[in-house]
Amino acid sequence: MSHPLFSPFTLRRQTLDNRIVIAPMCMYSATDGKVGDWHTMHLGTLAQSGAGLLIIEATAVAPEGRITPYCPGLWDDACADAWAPVLTAVRHYSTMPLAIQLAHAGRKASCEAPWRGGRQLPPEAGGWPTLAPSALAFNDGDTPPTALDTAGLARLRTAFADAARRADALGIDIIEIHAAHGYLLHEFLSPLSNLRQDNYGGSLENRLRFPLEVFDAVRAVWPAEKALGLRVSADDWVAGGWDIEQTLALARALKARGADFLHVSSGGLSAAQSIPVAPGYQLPFARRVKAETGLTTIAVGLITEPHQADAVIADGDADLVALARGILWNPRWPWHAAAALGATVDAPPQLWRGAPHAASGVFGR
């Protein structure tokens, strides 16, 4: 019996064992941009899940690009040095490919951890001034960001490229650039947050310019044999905002530049968004990107059941399926999906005897 969800997939030199991707999920557990024991445990657990690819959480390319004071970074060698033992420990017990999401939070930076309310932090409470395409705050009551000038844009292009070099030195297999959920690159894309009057604002061509420059800067330093893609919000869910037609234009431009995939999410840019949340609610966006551009797509968003995920691949809606909250709740989701579909999945031998009798063949041994 064919199980599309558990078929291999290749991104440049990297072949994934199956189509299940662990989406990047913020842990808010770093110190001054440096990861530690929490990340060793967290990523170590996820690396035993049997998924095809693990994407490490949004990792800031500059200190002011952190969502919270507790988010990880890769803006200097000290940050990279903190990542090294974490990744060494994970790799010692897992062969799962590792990707990292390089990010800058833009006007949504300098916030408290979500379990402490998530509001913007003033400088006296550990916050910092934020940057964005235009001086428009995300929430009422937030301090407006500073609009990036020419020097600031150049600095951030370089920051993304330098972070990519560090990721390569750490042995990261794939990079995903974060251009979704209302963070900096999404802020440039959307006409709701980008009111610039220069070459980086106004027309769609201009609003695409900075995200594409960042992509080009990363692609120029990222090894040719390693895959590079973007996570995007395909729709702001606000009238007059970024939408699927503009996303398709971005996808075509990225494909022409050698992008390997688009991870298709939505929303996050405006508090006025109205999202019709339901199982698979973002699938139509991924389906159109795949069908109309031919770019490899990762679908995400309330894809929680094994047969549902298998159907996404079987029906050609996307090439890969990502889970986030669902795999936090059930870190062995790929095992259970393989058991439900009658497929097999890789797991370390120390854990083989955990399979119940009804799933005795799930590890293929």
Side-chain angles (χ1 to χ4, degrees), residues 246-311:
Q246 295 171 88
T247 298
L248 291 168
L250 172 63
R252 293 184 184 101
L254 288 167
K255 186 179 181 184
R257 285 167 162 76
D260 297 288
F261 64 90
L262 207 63
H263 190 166
V264 185
S265 187
S266 69
L269 183 109
S270 171
Q273 68 186 19
S274 179
I275 303 178
V277 175
Y281 70 101
Q282 295 173 156
L283 275 178
F285 301 136
R287 184 184 305 122
R288 286 197 62 186
V289 169
K290 178 175 168 60
E292 297 183 35
T293 73
L295 193 61
T296 292
T297 59
I298 305 174
V300 67
L302 285 183
I303 303 169
T304 58
E305 300 301 325
H307 288 90
Q308 174 198 18
D310 198 48

Side-chain angles (χ1 to χ4, degrees), residues 155-182:
R155 177 179 67 85
L156 290 181
R157 284 193 295 269
T158 299
F160 271 94
D162 288 346
R165 288 191 184 95
R166 295 186 184 100
D168 181 43
L170 287 166
I172 295 293
D173 300 299
I174 294 170
I175 283 178
E176 175 177 283
I177 297 171
H178 200 353
H181 301 160

Side-chain angles (χ1 to χ4, degrees), residues 3 14 21 31 47 74 97 117 120 130 153 176 180 229 231 234 251 289 292 340:
H3 307 289
Q14 191 67 58
V21 174
T31 302
L74 202 49
Q120 187 183 70
T130 60
L153 295 174
E176 175 177 283
R231 190 169 195 183
V289 169
E292 297 183 35

